[in-house]
Amino acid sequence: MKFDRAAGQNPIDQLHVVGHPLDRIDGRFKTTGTAPYAYERHDVVPHQAYGYIIGSAVAKGRVTRMDVARAKAAPGVLAIVTTLDMPALKNGPRNTAKLFGGPEISHYHQATAIVVAETFEQARAAAVQIETDYGHDESQFDLKQAQHGARSVPAADGSRADRVGDFEKAFSASATRLDETYTTPDQTHAMMEPHATLAAWEGEKLTLWTSNQMIAWNRRDIATTLGLSEDNVRVDSPYIGGGFGGKLFLRSDAVLAALGAKAAGRPVKVALTRPFIMNNTTHRSATIQRIRIGTDRDGRIMAIAHESTSGNLPHGRPEAAIDQTKLLYAGPNRLTAMRLAVLDLPEGNAMRAPGEASGLMALEIAMDEMAERLRMDPVRFRILNDTQVDPEKPGRPFSQRHLVECLEHGAEKFGWSHRKARPASVREGEWLIGMGVAAGFRNNLLTKSAARVRLDSQGIVTVETDMTDIGTGTYTILAQTAAEMMGVSIDQVRVILGDSDFPVSAGSGGQWGANNSAAGVYAACVKLRESVAEKMGLPPAEAQFSGGNIHAGNSIFPLGQAAHEGELVAEDAIEYADVDKRYQQSTFASHFVEVGVNGFTGEVRIRRMLAVCSAGRILNPKTARNQVIGAMTMGAGAALMEELAVDTGRGFFVNHDLAGYEVPVHADIPHQEAIFLDEVDPLSSPMKAKGVGELGLCGVAAAIANAVYNATAVRIRDYPVTLDKHLAHLPRMS
């Protein structure tokens, strides 16, 4: 199905099932421990052995010797594969760091061997007996030092920066100016379920039962890395215990499980340990961001510049922290630029809302600082500089843009009028009280997504697609989509996900999953509706589907009757023309936060949080709310505690477990409220929906930082906002 114009009226608009806050259909399996996660697929293949991966003890250099004699002789050991046993394996296009093979080491905990044994304990005990010698190379682990040699990342036209107008001239002529630098630290995904894979060979055919967000990517890249035909690879990932972007790409668990299984002649399961996850896989790279804003006397932005420097391995990508600044606020003179420093740390790559999450942490503090210099309310300043067109391409409108409504509704709901403009002016006993606001922004990405639907004689509709559910509610919204399209109740729909034998979907990432994968199911159901109507001798254009029946005119038949001679099957994909080129596709939010800061200890306590989101049709308000409040919680972590501590001497993340890497717990999170504007976007897809799972994160950290400033009068521009950064500067407590 080609989507090339605004969606008209269609069966989804009936909203008999779609748009309702239904419970997750997979919830029962998760809460009873019967959902089959990757490491627990005990029943899919017999005689499973256990693999344990060891990683490099140096961050840059080479392996010069590996002695595995003692490890091979250890009890229960079936096989050992080392990095010296083969040349460097080929990376797929989505991997920067080398996954395995050859002596060269490019980062700490790069995989150097897998030990396969009858039990996990035996594999782990044998692994520590491997003796490894290294040669060391000169290295760099400190972004602040490396930034001075960072290279410019070419803009779209090949220049050093994206420019509109004359920023420098407009900035120097501005009535009010801001020029500040902000930093964000390295962060890790810290999902509950570790990276895990069970690998089994049958001749030259490889099956991976794994935990991966993008099935087709994973299948293609494991085939590339191991030199296999894609037809000889099957990937199965029906349940994923969180990913946040950390499981978008092929990682060492899958590669080493496959190599270990081949060497042992047995199926092998591997789960990465938490320290290994944090240093072997990917993370969100730290940034150094310079923001300059110039306004006229009325507060209208005349010039805005955002320059960001981040680090990565050679040939890696930057953290695109400038993305939202290209689109969020008006301003005729603009400059955005990125620089990339070479660091010998583990690979920097996608983490929930890559680019915007880090960029808004800086931009939305800068907007507050600018409002203060203008002596203008920060909500009013943002509204004044709203735009309904792409600021860099004024002839290109937004498909929908309701940021002003988000800000106005949020301000009224939160009681923003009670905020005191003068910082540190509200106290409750020993607590300093403040409010903060920030805009939220995340692009709405359109990508092809396919599905297959089946109808049996009992009227049961089965949906098959390689789409994944990473805890987002995909099973439920796809079931709702199929139920709405075929006129049945949701308990008459069966959804099967995550199998590479199924049609290729959008996958889970970039908050593109819900809208695109549901649109793929919509497209397949349109074909199935046509088949059912033709089978029953009814005109497809006149056929109606409701109550488990198909009817047209005076004719009515049970839906299952169309399949009484055999199952009906339909497959199709949603494919987008240039609609996202003609219209800018984005989602918007406002975030409001109230904090208390202890005037004696500097401790920060979040008291209230509100998000108001503009994201098209909400397919399931319950699962959407879960996504947004979870993202708000993640934003609290980014604001107040999350930071991978870099050992700049040895090149590894020191706090590489959930004891040392602080994330919010229940006691850290107060009442959270998420509100969705009642809207549809006909230019996004036939579902008229958009993504929301990453929007809920974007801007939250800045709202908290702004609230802390409003409470204390201490401006912190280096995340996280920890008490050591403001304790000495807090106002005197009488």
Side-chain angles (χ1 to χ4, degrees):
M1 173 183 287
K2 185 74 73 174
F3 184 78
D4 57 4
R5 61 178 63 89
Q9 196 77 9
N10 66 55
I12 296 298
D13 295 319
Q14 300 172 116
L15 299 182
H16 295 314
V17 189
V18 169
H20 291 252
L22 303 183
D23 291 344
R24 295 189 190 188
I25 61 176
D26 55 319
R28 175 167 55 90
F29 305 114
K30 291 183 174 180
T31 55
T32 57
T34 54
Y37 291 95
Y39 201 69
E40 300 159 353
R41 304 297 295 272
H42 310 301
D43 58 335
V44 293
V45 62
H47 310 302
Q48 297 175 20
Y50 293 79
Y52 189 89
I53 301 175
I54 61 172
S56 172
V58 304
K60 187 172 176 61
R62 71 203 59 79
V63 177
T64 58
R65 182 184 72 94
M66 296 190 77
D67 186 343
V68 299
R70 290 176 58 204
K72 280 187 174 180
V77 171
L78 300 170
I80 297 176
V81 181
T82 78
T83 192
L84 298 181
D85 293 339
M86 62 192 69
L89 299 179
K90 183 178 180 180
N91 273 359
R94 283 163 284 273
N95 288 108
T96 299
K98 183 174 73 171
L99 294 173
F100 195 68
E104 298 301 318
I105 298 296
S106 59
H107 67 88
Y108 183 81
H109 263 178
Q110 179 179 308
T112 57
I114 180 171
V115 177
V116 180
E118 294 287 356
T119 69
F120 169 79
E121 291 78 10
Q122 288 173 332
R124 180 178 59 182
V128 300
Q129 299 185 61
I130 295 177
E131 298 177 10
T132 306
D133 294 334
Y134 302 92
H136 296 260
D137 288 346
E138 185 177 346
S139 50
Q140 175 61 267
F141 311 119
D142 191 331
L143 179 60
K144 289 184 179 179
Q145 290 183 4
Q147 66 174 315
H148 305 294
R151 63 174 175 85
S152 295
V153 178
D157 62 359
S159 64
R160 294 167 62 91
D162 278 318
R163 291 178 176 272
V164 176
D166 188 335
F167 168 78
E168 285 80 6
K169 182 178 179 180
F171 184 70
S172 63
S174 294
T176 305
R177 293 189 295 271
L178 174 140
D179 184 348
E180 296 291 354
T181 298
Y182 309 84
T183 67
T184 64
D186 295 290
Q187 297 173 341
T188 187
H189 308 85
M191 73 293 285
M192 282 199 298
E193 183 202 22
H195 294 72
T197 299
L198 167 62
W201 292 87
E202 187 175 346
E204 290 302 307
K205 291 188 177 294
L206 171 66
T207 300
L208 300 177
W209 294 272
T210 189
S211 184
N212 190 272
Q213 298 173 226
M214 302 290 295
I215 300 302
W217 290 3
N218 202 36
R219 182 190 191 197
R220 190 175 305 126
D221 288 353
I222 192 72
T224 298
T225 297
L226 297 182
L228 303 172
S229 164
E230 278 190 56
D231 293 338
N232 283 338
V233 177
R234 178 181 171 230
V235 176
D236 188 39
S237 188
Y239 287 89
I240 302 169
F244 306 122
K247 296 174 182 173
L248 284 171
F249 315 112
L250 177 68
R251 302 312 314 168
S252 61
D253 59 303
V255 174
L256 272 294
L259 293 174
K262 177 70 81 172
R266 293 259 299 273
V268 170
K269 61 169 60 178
V270 171
L272 302 188
T273 63
R274 192 65 62 175
F276 204 78
I277 291 171
M278 293 189 179
N279 280 291
N280 173 265
T281 66
T282 61
H283 70 287
R284 194 198 303 276
S285 297
T287 67
I288 300 171
Q289 303 178 50
R290 182 189 183 192
I291 296 178
R292 289 174 285 172
I293 303 174
T295 69
D296 64 15
R297 298 185 188 281
D298 295 326
R300 289 182 174 83
I301 294 174
M302 295 290 104
I304 184 168
H306 193 160
E307 299 162 277
S308 177
T309 301
S310 56
N312 211 337
L313 294 166
H315 312 298
R317 291 174 295 217
E319 179 70 17
I322 63 170
D323 282 358
Q324 71 293 316
T325 308
K326 293 171 174 286
L327 293 161
L328 189 49
Y329 297 113
N333 302 284
R334 317 175 70 85
L335 182 155
T336 52
M338 292 187 291
R339 285 182 286 275
L340 184 64
V342 173
L343 294 180
D344 302 304
L345 291 171
E347 178 180 340
N349 214 316
M351 180 171 158
R352 195 175 193 174
E356 287 98 331
S358 297
L360 284 163
M361 290 170 77
L363 177 63
E364 286 301 287
I365 291 183
M367 289 294 288
D368 252 45
E369 292 198 72
M370 198 68 196
E372 185 176 42
R373 295 183 188 195
L374 290 162
R375 297 183 180 179
M376 184 180 293
D377 180 87
V379 170
R380 181 172 165 239
F381 179 54
R382 289 171 171 86
I383 291 173
L384 179 66
N385 288 286
D386 185 50
T387 174
Q388 292 299 308
V389 298
D390 179 344
E392 294 188 349
K393 302 170 185 174
R396 181 172 175 242
F398 285 88
S399 64
Q400 294 274 356
R401 180 177 168 122
H402 298 300
L403 175 59
V404 170
E405 290 85 341
C406 290
L407 288 163
E408 290 177 339
H409 187 62
E412 180 181 359
K413 182 75 175 178
F414 199 72
W416 183 254
S417 61
H418 299 298
R419 172 186 175 270
K420 301 299 182 184
R422 184 169 64 86
S425 60
V426 179
R427 300 188 182 188
E428 292 182 7
E430 62 186 39
W431 293 91
L432 306 167
I433 309 301
M435 292 186 190
V437 65
F441 173 93
R442 182 75 167 120
N443 276 328
N444 180 54
L445 304 176
L446 304 181
T447 184
K448 180 181 177 180
S449 192
R452 182 188 303 130
V453 287
R454 302 176 181 274
L455 174 67
D456 69 15
S457 60
Q458 301 301 309
I460 301 298
V461 177
T462 299
V463 176
E464 298 173 340
T465 172
D466 81 349
M467 182 61 186
T468 51
D469 191 324
I470 57 176
T472 48
T474 307
Y475 278 102
T476 307
I477 62 170
L478 296 191
Q480 289 176 271
T481 302
E484 193 77 69
M485 290 296 294
M486 301 310 300
V488 299
S489 62
I490 195 169
D491 58 7
Q492 288 179 274
V493 179
R494 180 171 174 246
V495 179
I496 312 174
L497 300 180
D499 192 327
S500 63
D501 286 346
F502 295 158
V504 176
S505 71
S508 295
Q511 78 168 22
W512 63 61
N515 178 46
N516 291 294
S517 65
V521 172
Y522 170 96
C525 285
V526 168
K527 276 196 170 181
L528 183 60
R529 285 164 61 104
E530 293 171 353
S531 296
V532 170
E534 290 170 359
K535 195 77 172 176
M536 303 311 297
L538 302 176
E542 299 176 17
Q544 301 292 316
F545 294 75
S546 64
N549 299 310
I550 176 174
H551 51 90
N554 294 323
S555 301
I556 183 169
F557 305 97
L559 188 62
Q561 188 173 328
H564 78 280
E565 294 179 348
E567 184 180 55
L568 297 183
V569 182
E571 181 176 329
D572 202 358
I574 190 74
E575 296 186 72
Y576 300 93
D578 64 346
V579 65
D580 58 337
K581 304 294 188 298
R582 291 183 283 122
Y583 297 90
Q584 173 57 39
Q585 296 266 346
S586 303
T587 61
F588 300 89
S590 64
H591 292 286
F592 291 84
V593 174
E594 181 181 85
V595 303
V597 181
N598 190 285
F600 295 106
T601 68
E603 174 191 5
V604 178
R605 284 289 180 186
I606 302 174
R607 293 157 58 106
R608 291 188 293 140
M609 303 180 78
L610 168 67
V612 180
C613 301
S614 169
R617 169 174 284 148
I618 301 303
L619 303 178
N620 183 320
K622 181 175 287 189
T623 59
R625 178 183 180 275
N626 288 347
Q627 282 290 285
V628 172
I629 66 172
M632 292 161 72
T633 301
M634 202 172 199
L640 300 178
M641 59 193 73
E642 292 191 40
E643 177 179 16
L644 281 169
V646 181
D647 185 323
T648 55
R650 298 183 62 87
F652 71 99
F653 298 128
V654 180
N655 53 335
H656 49 202
D657 56 34
L658 293 181
Y661 184 83
E662 300 283 349
V663 296
V665 297
H666 284 296
D668 296 311
I669 302 302
H671 175 71
Q672 297 171 307
E673 188 171 4
I675 297 172
F676 301 102
L677 297 186
D678 185 10
E679 63 178 32
V680 296
D681 190 341
L683 289 164
S684 69
S685 80
M687 303 301 296
K688 305 174 184 175
K690 295 179 180 177
V692 74
E694 296 185 344
L695 176 65
L697 168 63
C698 295
V700 174
I704 294 170
N706 290 334
V708 170
Y709 172 74
N710 183 245
T712 64
V714 182
R715 177 63 76 183
I716 298 173
R717 301 183 181 93
D718 301 305
Y719 288 97
V721 181
T722 48
L723 61 87
D724 57 294
K725 295 173 183 173
H726 63 208
L727 184 58
H729 309 288
L730 293 178
R732 290 177 59 86
M733 301 294 291
S734 57

